[in-house]
Amino acid sequence: MPPPPGDKSGKSGGQKKRLAGDSLGPTTGKRPKPNGKNMGSSNQPGQSNQGKDGRQSSNKSRHGGKDAPSNNGPEARRMKNRAARSIPSQRSDSALKDGELDLQSFVNSRGFEVKALDESMRRTRATRSSRAFQQVPYTLRRRAAAHNHKRVPKRLQKRAKKEMAADNTPTVNAKTRKPSSTRDRLRSETVLRLGKLAERRRKQKLLKRGNLDKVTIETRMARPKIRRNTLNDPLVTIKKFKKRQLNKTWLPTHLWHAKRARLTEPNKPLWRFAIPITPTQKVYRPAHRIQWEKGVMAWDTSYMSTIGLCGTPRSVEHVLKGLCLTQAVLWNDKGAKWRSGAVCWSGTLRRKVGAYLRIIAPASIIWNPESVKRTNDSSEPPKQLRRRLFIRIHPSSFLEAFEELNRLVKGQNPRPYIEDLRYEIGSIEVTGPNSTEALLGLLKPYYSKTESKEPHVAKFQSLAGLQDPASLPLGSLLAFSIMDPRLRYPPRRTELPDMTNQEAQLGLLETLSKWHQTEDPVPFALFDRDARFKASQLPTQQSLNRRRGKNAPGVFLEPSETDTAIPIILTASRQSPNAGTWTLMMPWKCILPLWHSLMHFPLSTGGNPGLGGLNEKRQLAFEQGIPWFPGDFPGTDAGMAWELEQRHERKKAWDRMPKGKRIAYEALDLGAGRKGEVGDGWDCGFETLFELPESGTDASQPDEESNVEIEGTEPAKENKSTKLMKHALTHVIHLTKSAFNAYVDPKSDPFPLGAIVTVKIRTLSRGTPAPCARIYRLPTIAHVPVSTQAEVPATEPTHVRDNSKLPSDLRDQWLAKIPGKTNGAKAKPPLKHNSAVDLDVETRKRLLAQELIGPPPSQPNEGNVNGHPFCPDAEDLIGFVTTGSFNLRNGCGEGIGSISAEMAREELGRYKNKDDPAARVCVVRNAGQAVGWVARWDLV
């Protein structure tokens, strides 16, 4: 092969001219000293000579123009690492001679490169080019480890800390970092608990060696904060489920109920709680039998709100009078037992709105007995004397009552204070003939070696054999301390006296007759914050199991020093003469242990107590004939919110139905030419009844002025029933039976606009009222058609309605529907001129004239609806049914409703004789139906 042009020496151009940085000399395998000028290019990508020169020039300018950087510093270490990683190489042109491959030169040049690679690897290991975080096995490497030297093994932590300090890497401090997710929060809380446990174990080891005393290792958990005159934070009993309780609070027995009952939807809590609606089993008929025959039914009513009021006796009295507790029997000598804490008061709280009183909610008030008995010689109570009381109210009206109390408290001097005890005190309600038996078997008194026996313990134990709590005097109350029910688990059947024995019956009657003839009560422990906190520190179930394993099988545990007393308050309420309910109040965290024992208690009649939900409470209240709050109180803020929510739910259910199956309210034929439902078929239209002015704001929009933010609840997700709506229903005022009786006299002041009163509806024959049913009074004005052909029109009397298409004898038709009626005349067919009755000629002429000039005779089925009389007109509408169904106790259709107070007074004034068959008779028609049913209403 000829030599390349321009090469006269015959040698390859690679031997005469070498590239910059390639000064390896002849191919002898000798390597020159490495320096920045004659180093070859590295075989790593991205590291060219041009890039190195650029970095060196920038380094010179940074160090003031010096030729080489200082031996100390990150830049010097980088240059050293670069030099160690550089691998010199030789051009392949040196292996060519006259265009031919020189095998010996080619082998020598490749051998040189292999030696250079081996030398580079050796120098790289010696210079520690990898960081400490890269020394961790790849299975343990994490991206976040480069920001915390504690995430690497201990042998590398020092080195990693130096490298982070040299590179100014920011260090994350786990103690000051706020958890960003639920997992991080749970992890930090677990670390904190484990740290405290490890510290306690370390101190216990030192205690055994004798280096510490026992006082040093005693720890006390922080008590929950109870703010004054301010709402408290919701309680989260299980930290793991805190994220599920952002907009609601779980009851103490939530996990137990979640497996056995249907609860409220997670995103739609009721009154800011997750409340059981009904058990998964069918319990409608069993609930009826438990109430009136045998058995026990229990509810976890810890959602009922408790407000604490504390202050001087005079200030507390003024605050209660501001809630309209102005009855003389409460503040004279007859009310001394209530103010001393011996009995419980149950009634209705009201607040003044303008010139009228508006009901807040039914409530119960319990006073704490005085710790120091005052003498009659002292004219004034001591200044340091302060009285405490509990106000137990429904959660739907808690915010309204709390705001009103806060307003009343600020106007007193010396100023009392209120406390939000919703999450401090829980409650359980028990009803049924065997309810007293179950409580006697579960509530075992706590006996202390230092303290004497509490006075209410003997009274409670003397109730063995009592069938119905309604037999106790009104407002009966018991307060004492019990032991942990888990110490006597499983519970055993209570030994009851033979009530067929006359002596046992006389003993029980004597106990009931002398119920209030006892000494003054001592202060209740449930009012003491420290006693409630100590009772909440129950031992774990594992520790009780270990103690139980040391005893013989079937032997109950005895209370030890670690088992604290649980303070309780037990009250008996009576809604109807034959149905009573026990209400057990105790610390919130003590509800679950007692609930487990209650559900497994063996009754003498067989079986165990049953579980009840919100629907069962409404059912039993309906069977007792009493209104249920807030559903049957549409004239209150809570009842209005409930009604608006129910309207929304019924409207949604109506919209979901196909058009062919849902009721067309606008096309409903009521007879006599009347088309369409009176108002909307899915609501109780009291605003239509009273023609109340509509507000400019939609009912679904909350009132900003009355909006109260709940801790732990986002305002956007808060239930509508917790806010006062700007709606026409705000003008509806609910009157109690006693307040209505003050207006019975026709000469008394007129009722306020929108005044309603609660009544009980009972059908007299067939028919079952349903919610939203319309209530009509009997027609009071005759319906006489006016002839337009009369030559001289007569003056129309005031009791006649013009051009009415309803029958003139409609009232008599409805009175004829009353069963067993003796003095009411049935509707007779009208006389005609050709009747078989003996009539004179003048009478026959008059009847013939009436037939000729009168309206045409009605066709068949025009005067009624399938044999049923027409319902009265909209002018006779007096109210609506809020709760209605078939009553299993009375065996007929019944309902609870609200009617206009003005029309109710007119009805009572029209019939002076109470035995009149037509007194309080009404017509009930379900929404969407044209047929009505005769019924009678009574005030509740």
Side-chain angles (χ1 to χ4, degrees), residues 326-345 367 474-475 516:
T326 56
Q327 297 87 341
V329 294
L330 296 178
W331 309 109
N332 55 16
D333 295 339
K334 293 183 179 179
K337 289 185 178 180
W338 171 60
R339 297 192 302 273
S340 65
V343 297
C344 171
W345 176 87
W367 288 76
L474 192 63
H516 292 308

Side-chain angles (χ1 to χ4, degrees), residues 153-174:
K154 290 186 177 180
R155 58 184 179 84
L156 298 173
Q157 286 184 3
K158 262 185 195 178
R159 175 182 163 190
K161 189 175 182 180
K162 291 181 181 179
E163 293 175 353
M164 293 174 64
D167 296 343
N168 296 326
T169 304
T171 305
V172 178
N173 190 357

Side-chain angles (χ1 to χ4, degrees), residues 170-278:
T171 305
V172 178
N173 190 357
K175 294 183 179 180
T176 59
R177 182 180 59 182
K178 186 177 181 181
S180 58
S181 62
T182 304
R183 184 183 296 274
D184 294 342
R185 176 181 53 77
L186 295 176
R187 183 179 297 169
S188 62
E189 292 176 356
T190 304
V191 170
L192 184 62
R193 288 196 301 268
L194 292 177
K196 291 181 179 179
L197 181 61
E199 182 67 17
R200 186 176 182 181
R201 288 181 177 177
R202 186 183 66 82
K203 290 182 179 180
Q204 286 178 349
K205 291 182 180 179
L206 296 177
L207 176 63
K208 293 181 181 180
R209 299 175 185 174
N211 298 335
L212 289 178
D213 53 351
K214 188 175 181 180
V215 181
T216 307
I217 64 171
E218 287 184 352
T219 58
R220 182 185 67 85
M221 295 183 63
R223 294 188 305 181
K225 294 182 180 179
I226 301 179
R227 306 184 182 96
R228 294 183 178 181
N229 304 329
T230 310
L231 299 177
N232 284 326
D233 297 332
L235 181 66
V236 180
T237 54
I238 303 179
K239 302 288 185 180
K240 183 170 60 174
F241 302 127
K242 185 176 181 180
K243 192 174 182 180
R244 304 185 189 181
Q245 306 178 51
L246 296 178
N247 62 337
K248 59 182 176 296
T249 302
W250 285 0
L251 299 181
T253 58
H254 176 83
L255 295 180
W256 190 92
H257 278 92
K259 303 176 182 179
R260 300 166 179 87
R262 294 184 179 91
L263 301 171
T264 55
E265 296 182 16
N267 296 330
K268 295 181 180 180
L270 186 61
W271 308 315
R272 301 170 298 278
F273 286 94
I275 298 179
I277 302 300
T278 185

Side-chain angles (χ1 to χ4, degrees), residues 275-588:
I275 298 179
I277 302 300
T278 185
T280 54
Q281 299 178 350
K282 295 181 179 180
V283 294
Y284 189 84
R285 291 189 178 182
H288 165 74
R289 299 189 186 100
I290 287 174
Q291 176 71 24
W292 306 106
E293 297 178 9
K294 64 177 182 179
V296 177
M297 179 162 284
W299 295 267
D300 181 6
T301 56
S302 299
Y303 55 85
M304 295 294 289
S305 303
T306 304
I307 303 175
L309 176 61
C310 180
T312 60
R314 188 176 299 274
S315 300
V316 172
E317 178 181 350
H318 290 168
V319 171
L320 294 181
K321 287 183 177 179
L323 295 175
C324 299
L325 272 70
T326 56
Q327 297 87 341
V329 294
L330 296 178
W331 309 109
N332 55 16
D333 295 339
K334 293 183 179 179
K337 289 185 178 180
W338 171 60
R339 297 192 302 273
S340 65
V343 297
C344 171
W345 176 87
S346 297
T348 303
L349 302 183
R350 293 175 290 178
R351 61 185 177 92
K352 191 172 183 181
V353 180
Y356 303 102
L357 298 178
R358 188 172 181 85
I359 292 179
I360 299 177
S364 301
I365 297 179
I366 302 174
W367 288 76
N368 187 26
E370 300 180 24
S371 57
V372 179
K373 187 177 180 180
R374 293 185 295 173
T375 60
N376 297 329
D377 299 336
S378 59
S379 58
E380 293 183 359
K383 294 183 179 180
Q384 65 274 12
L385 179 63
R386 302 180 72 87
R387 297 299 306 276
R388 293 177 178 269
L389 57 88
F390 284 160
I391 302 176
R392 190 169 182 266
I393 196 169
H394 198 271
S396 61
S397 299
F398 167 76
L399 297 178
E400 182 183 2
F402 196 86
E403 287 183 353
E404 183 67 15
L405 281 170
N406 212 348
R407 185 187 66 84
L408 295 173
V409 160
K410 294 179 180 178
Q412 304 300 324
N413 189 15
R415 179 179 296 183
Y417 63 88
I418 58 176
E419 295 177 336
D420 177 13
L421 303 178
R422 288 177 294 175
Y423 313 109
E424 278 278 309
I425 299 176
S427 61
I428 295 176
E429 289 189 6
V430 185
T431 188
N434 301 106
S435 57
T436 307
E437 171 194 349
L439 293 179
L440 286 171
L442 292 176
L443 306 181
K444 298 300 180 181
Y446 183 86
Y447 298 107
S448 177
K449 299 180 180 179
T450 58
E451 299 179 359
S452 59
K453 189 176 180 180
E454 295 177 305
H456 285 178
V457 172
K459 294 176 62 177
F460 175 67
Q461 294 176 344
S462 64
L463 296 178
L466 182 68
Q467 288 289 330
D468 192 0
S471 304
L472 291 171
L474 192 63
S476 299
L477 181 146
L478 295 170
F480 53 94
S481 298
I482 63 172
M483 64 176 63
D484 190 348
R486 297 177 297 174
L487 300 178
R488 294 182 174 270
Y489 184 86
R492 296 177 182 176
R493 183 173 298 176
T494 306
E495 297 182 2
L496 300 177
D498 186 11
M499 297 310 297
T500 59
N501 187 359
Q502 187 175 3
E503 295 182 358
Q505 294 179 2
L506 292 177
L508 183 59
L509 291 176
E510 185 179 0
T511 300
L512 299 179
S513 61
K514 297 182 180 180
W515 185 262
H516 292 308
Q517 298 178 8
T518 56
E519 58 184 8
D520 295 335
V522 297
F524 301 154
L526 192 60
F527 283 84
D528 188 3
R529 182 182 176 187
D530 293 332
R532 294 197 303 264
F533 175 73
K534 291 179 181 179
S536 302
Q537 309 304 313
L538 297 174
T540 61
Q541 185 65 43
Q542 289 80 0
S543 62
L544 294 179
N545 293 340
R546 287 192 295 267
R547 291 168 54 185
R548 190 175 287 108
K550 298 178 182 179
N551 297 340
V555 178
F556 287 144
L557 296 177
E558 294 296 332
S560 62
E561 296 180 356
T562 59
D563 300 321
T564 59
I566 301 176
I568 66 168
I569 293 180
L570 190 64
T571 61
S573 58
R574 179 174 58 192
Q575 288 84 9
S576 62
N578 299 326
T581 302
W582 286 107
T583 302
L584 178 62
M585 301 173 60
M586 58 194 309
W588 179 282

Side-chain angles (χ1 to χ4, degrees), residues 682-696:
W682 47 77
D683 61 9
C684 299
F686 290 99
E687 61 273 25
T688 305
L689 173 64
F690 296 106
E691 298 180 357
L692 298 175
E694 289 287 346
S695 177

